[in-house]
Amino acid sequence: MANWRIGLLVAAVVLSVVSLFMGAGSGFSVETSSTPRLSVGDTVYAINGAPPPVSGNYSGLVQLATQRGAVYIETDGPLPFTLKERSSTNLEFGLDITGGVSATVKPKNASLASDVIPVLQQRINFYGLREATFRTIDFHGDSYVEVAIAGGTEDEIRRLLEAEGKFEAKVPLKASKEIIMDKSYPISVNGTLSIENKSYAPGDSFILAGVPFIVANITGSDANVVATVYGGDDIQAVYLDPARSGVRSLDNNYQWSFGLQVSPKAANNFAMVTKNLPFAAGTSYLQGEIAVYLDDKLINSFQIASSLRGNAATSIEITGTAPSYGDALAEKRSISSILRSGSLPTSIEIVGVSSVSPTLGRAFVNDVLLAGVAAAAGVAAVVLARYRRPKIILPMLAVSLSEALIILGAAAAFSWTLDLPALAGIIAAIGTGVDSQIIMIDQSSRRKELTLTEQLKRAFFVIFGSGGILIASMLPLLTMISLRGFAITTIIGVLIGVLITRPAFGEILKKIERAQ
């Protein structure tokens, strides 16, 4: 079939249109979520039968119509997720176009820079932010990690990055004669704490039955010690389901909570330590509290129910308060994300944070479109003035437009993230396409010593050669993260041109020549 090349072009354009627009624009996309029933990127079509976005507070069971069917969440207050209107296309844009925030951090131990990235990646994913990219940078012998989050805020990225993730739960004890653990450890107090033939002053630490203790202070014949019953490695699960987590109104504040499951060893540590706490008279609690710390900062402290004395409980609840629902939700999400991802292998310092406004990205895209229209008009005018063949202007512009459409369709189909270098690569690919078309037009306009088919073969020899050289020149850029998008889109654009659009344009030229 002589026109199969044109048919291939038409099929590619149709598939690209389907890839770009099928399913786009309907419903709202989940931007952030603190409920495990919804993930970032999910589509919500209705909330309790009404189209989103719906503001205000909710109480009880809320029905959500999503792309996965009906989803039910239980809440008491604002919804535990945020929505944004879905894009009119299926294209995904990067930080420099959609806006967001980037930060550069410096690990204290430079050799662990690459080990920091997986922990931070987990934190950001658990928190619900999207399109986070990481890369290590070596500069003057120092190692840095650059973190970029599309759609994030400076406050969010600081909250997630500044925490080392060191989690501890501590129980203070007052001891005068003994400390009961796996057995009774007799002690004596006389300015220092003496136990097992060793003396400890305030600030000193020791270990009993595998549990770390520190001497807080000594008053008379009593020693106040603090036992660390849980550590970050003891956390086995973080529960964020509605039954074990949430945010609720409490007096003039909002209280957040979520559940933790700790290891049997940690539960046994808690059981041994709490055997040293006496019952509080007239209450159902013990005379002591358990204090929860994150990076040595107190999150909250809780009374211990008397029923838990000596009980190896593996399930605990972490709570905190904030002045507003939004602050409480953000605090709950950040702390739970940090606990789920674990502690960093080394402490880090935030060297700099910068925000990118989405206005700049949109302005660039608009400028690209305007420049494309102006370039197309200029090329059409030059070709018309040079070759005096107005019939080839419209096909040339149509093929160039179809080339751009096919590249964007491929980007939507394979979920490429289009950033500014990627858009520059599309422009470069279209530019080489126009150059190839002009070569073909020039060859077809030469003297008729050769047939049109032979003239186009000469043109294709030049086109294939230049395309191969361009692809080869892009290969080294694939190893450079900042220019990888430019290289990929340029290579894909050249391949689409060589395999689809140039052969189709050659057939169109033949038809125009035969019609004259």
Side-chain angles (χ1 to χ4, degrees), residues 4 17 23 107 203 250 266 287 389 404 411 414 431 513:
W4 67 268
V17 171
L250 181 66
Q287 291 183 15
R389 300 170 67 185
F414 294 101
E513 288 292 331

Side-chain angles (χ1 to χ4, degrees), residues 356-431:
V356 179
S357 170
T359 305
L360 298 176
R362 286 194 294 266
F364 177 82
V365 174
N366 292 335
D367 291 342
V368 167
L369 293 175
L370 290 175
V373 172
V379 169
V382 170
V383 171
L384 182 62
R386 169 67 178 83
Y387 299 106
R388 307 289 182 181
R389 300 170 67 185
K391 289 185 178 181
I392 64 174
I393 300 300
L394 186 60
M396 185 183 71
L397 296 178
V399 169
S400 296
L401 178 62
S402 67
E403 189 169 328
L405 190 62
I406 295 171
I407 295 173
L408 293 175
F414 294 101
S415 299
W416 300 338
T417 297
L418 296 177
D419 52 12
L420 296 185
L423 292 182
I426 294 175
I427 295 171
I430 294 173

Side-chain angles (χ1 to χ4, degrees), residues 29-34 38 44 79-84 329 333:
S29 179
V30 177
E31 189 170 26
T32 62
S33 173
S34 63
L38 280 182
V44 176
L79 295 172
F81 57 87
T82 59
L83 300 174
K84 67 171 186 175
L329 184 60
R333 288 170 58 202

Side-chain angles (χ1 to χ4, degrees), residues 448-489:
K448 302 302 180 181
E449 298 171 354
L450 299 173
T451 65
L452 179 59
T453 300
E454 291 171 332
Q455 290 168 339
L456 290 178
K457 284 183 179 179
R458 288 188 172 187
F460 274 113
F461 178 79
V462 176
I463 292 169
F464 289 154
S466 62
I469 293 172
L470 183 57
I471 291 174
S473 66
M474 289 294 108
L475 294 178
L477 300 184
L478 293 174
T479 61
M480 304 172 64
I481 294 178
S482 59
L483 294 177
R484 186 175 296 164
F486 174 79
I488 290 175
T489 51

